[in-house]
Amino acid sequence: MKILHIIRSCDPKAGGPIEGVTQLSKCYKELGHQLSVVTLDLDDADFVKNQTLFEVFALGSGKKSTYGYSKKLIPWLTLHCHEYDVIVINGIWQYHSFAAHRVLIKAKKPYYIFTHGMLDPWFKRAYPLKHLKKYLYWWWGEYPVLRDAKQVLFTCEEEKIQARESFWPYRCQEQVVSYGTAGCIGDQDLQKQLFLETYPQLQGKRYLLFLSRIHPKKGVDLLIEAFSKVYSAADDTILVIAGPDQVGMQSNLTQLAERLGVAEKIVWPGMLSGDLKWGAYLNADAFVLPSHQENFGIVVAEALSANVPVLISNKVNIWREIVEDNAGLVANDDLVGCESLLSQWQHIDDVAKDNMRVNARVCFKNRYEITKASSFLLGLFEG
């Protein structure tokens, strides 16, 4: 099959959606299928020019806009959409989904769409004015995209349920699909060594790892405050906060850490990838993600694959599976909940922690390993 994914950006800094596409492309290729990607990136972007896993058609206009308008997208899709057996739209609220719907309906070409958590009601509560603007757009812009899709794909049951609560009218063909990642690959001993050599201040230290975009919805401020309350100056545990600072939060967060007296106990590596990223996971005592909203959490699956227990909020939509498999701890996405996560972990004995590490890997293999996800999706597309 020839499969086309339409997505706002293939920049790795954009987070989980493009990582999911990347992982699926590897599996599709091994099974003899071809995946191509249309994006609204500029064609001279390094991450476009250096992409070797799949063909990228970058049609960006160069204008700085989160909406991502491009006059090239509709003509390109009109000319090429019939060349593909399957078309998947990734994400909503941006020009690529609106334009794709406009072309594909006219061409009578069926399509699937991943909402990637963008219908979560948390956004309605957190940004009420923005939600009102979205409501005006919903009627004529985004609702038809979902209504007319062959299937709207959700990465877990919780995401599907939550999506029903944000906008009205809401009618679509819902489908929960398997989703995941390839997990920890490579020489783990070398990866662990590389990370500690790169960040020697972590040698011989126990650390908690946050690895995700630094964004208001991720609860990083809660994490720093909870860390300051649970881990005293006498405790040598370190907090590693790794990820791209997309909205300029880090300076405020470092000031918060200074006010709370824990600035010396926090390491900020920035965005990690490849062996450095896996080394960060493999050396971690636990992974922490106190998000206010997370439709799936590729980084949670990655941590599980590296035998790392996950300490997450109950707004990470796969939290029920984590509890069921005893692969980590779950609490509310507030300061009390975040403190509870860290305090519980601090007081768990080593035997229980080791058992949870084993459970983490089993949870990953049974639920989130990418070959199962790709087989599920291919079966859906071929059905």
Side-chain angles (χ1 to χ4, degrees):
M1 285 190 296
K2 292 184 67 177
I3 303 169
L4 178 69
H5 276 257
I6 305 170
I7 194 168
R8 171 66 177 85
S9 176
C10 65
D11 186 348
K13 294 180 180 178
I18 188 57
E19 176 63 19
V21 172
T22 301
Q23 296 296 334
L24 287 170
S25 73
K26 298 175 184 178
C27 295
Y28 291 163
K29 188 174 183 179
E30 290 176 0
L31 295 171
H33 303 286
Q34 178 184 330
L35 183 143
S36 300
V37 175
V38 170
T39 83
L40 301 181
D41 297 307
L42 295 177
D43 59 8
D44 62 351
D46 288 341
F47 54 82
V48 171
K49 293 188 294 184
N50 297 332
Q51 179 57 254
T52 59
L53 290 172
F54 47 79
E55 186 175 28
V56 179
F57 300 98
L59 307 178
S61 66
K63 296 180 180 179
K64 290 187 178 181
S65 165
T66 55
Y67 187 61
Y69 171 77
S70 170
K71 65 181 181 181
K72 300 177 184 178
L73 182 56
I74 285 180
W76 190 95
L77 287 173
T78 302
L79 184 62
H80 296 288
C81 69
H82 289 290
E83 299 172 9
Y84 296 91
D85 303 298
V86 177
I87 296 179
V88 182
I89 301 170
N90 289 267
I92 57 176
W93 301 122
Q94 294 168 322
Y95 181 68
H96 70 283
S97 60
F98 174 81
H101 171 261
R102 182 175 170 183
V103 172
L104 298 176
I105 288 300
K106 185 176 181 180
K108 297 182 179 180
K109 183 73 176 176
Y111 64 91
Y112 300 84
I113 181 166
F114 277 105
T115 65
H116 291 299
M118 296 178 188
L119 290 177
D120 195 293
W122 175 80
F123 293 103
K124 176 170 62 175
R125 297 187 296 270
Y127 304 106
L129 291 179
K130 184 181 286 188
H131 179 77
L132 179 60
K133 293 179 181 178
K134 284 184 173 181
Y135 223 130
L136 298 174
Y137 181 70
W138 172 258
W139 287 81
W140 61 272
E142 217 60 70
Y143 170 57
V145 180
L146 273 70
R147 179 197 63 203
D148 297 337
K150 184 174 183 179
Q151 287 182 322
V152 178
L153 307 179
F154 298 99
T155 55
C156 61
E157 187 71 20
E158 186 76 10
E159 182 194 2
K160 182 185 78 172
I161 294 169
Q162 293 288 332
R164 299 168 179 170
E165 300 181 13
S166 287
F167 295 93
W168 185 89
Y170 178 83
R171 178 168 59 86
C172 63
Q173 296 297 316
E174 300 169 324
Q175 176 66 54
V176 177
V177 299
S178 296
Y179 204 65
T181 183
C184 189
I185 55 175
D187 188 318
Q188 295 189 3
D189 289 336
L190 288 178
Q191 289 165 342
K192 291 166 74 173
Q193 180 182 346
L194 174 64
F195 183 74
L196 293 178
E197 287 177 349
T198 305
Y199 303 97
Q201 65 270 45
L202 297 173
Q203 290 276 2
K205 300 289 186 180
R206 179 176 295 185
Y207 68 83
L208 304 174
L209 175 67
F210 170 96
L211 194 155
S212 191
R213 291 181 299 135
I214 298 174
H215 185 278
K217 79 169 189 173
K218 302 290 183 176
V220 191
D221 53 341
L222 297 179
L223 177 56
I224 292 173
E225 190 166 353
F227 181 78
S228 73
K229 292 177 180 293
V230 174
Y231 289 93
S232 65
D235 192 307
D236 66 355
T237 300
I238 302 295
L239 176 60
V240 176
I241 300 177
D245 181 22
Q246 290 187 323
V247 295
M249 279 189 68
Q250 186 170 328
S251 61
N252 289 336
L253 293 172
T254 54
Q255 290 174 22
L256 173 65
E258 289 170 0
R259 289 198 303 270
L260 295 172
V262 291
E264 299 302 318
K265 292 169 65 69
I266 300 178
V267 176
W268 304 82
M271 183 175 175
L272 298 174
S273 60
D275 288 337
L276 269 180
K277 178 184 76 172
W278 292 120
Y281 282 123
L282 291 164
N283 284 300
D285 191 45
F287 176 81
V288 190
L289 187 65
S291 278
H292 300 299
Q293 186 276 326
E294 204 78 39
N295 70 298
F296 178 81
I298 286 285
V299 290
V300 177
E302 288 180 342
L304 295 170
S305 78
N307 299 76
V308 181
V310 295
L311 316 181
I312 61 175
S313 76
N314 56 8
K315 300 304 184 293
V316 178
N317 283 342
I318 60 173
W319 70 268
R320 299 178 194 276
E321 291 85 347
I322 300 304
V323 171
E324 184 176 334
D325 292 352
N326 190 30
L329 302 174
V330 176
N332 290 335
D333 64 322
D334 53 26
L335 182 57
V336 173
C338 196
E339 283 185 56
S340 174
L341 285 177
L342 302 189
S343 182
Q344 286 183 70
W345 181 253
Q346 186 185 46
H347 291 98
I348 291 177
D349 63 51
D350 289 340
V351 173
K353 286 183 177 181
D354 288 342
N355 288 337
M356 204 174 283
R357 290 187 179 97
V358 173
N359 294 341
R361 180 66 183 179
V362 172
C363 177
F364 168 77
K365 292 293 290 183
N366 290 342
R367 298 182 186 271
Y368 307 124
E369 207 279 322
I370 192 63
T371 55
K372 293 182 179 180
S374 61
S375 295
F376 185 98
L377 280 170
L378 288 171
L380 191 70
F381 297 155
E382 293 170 345

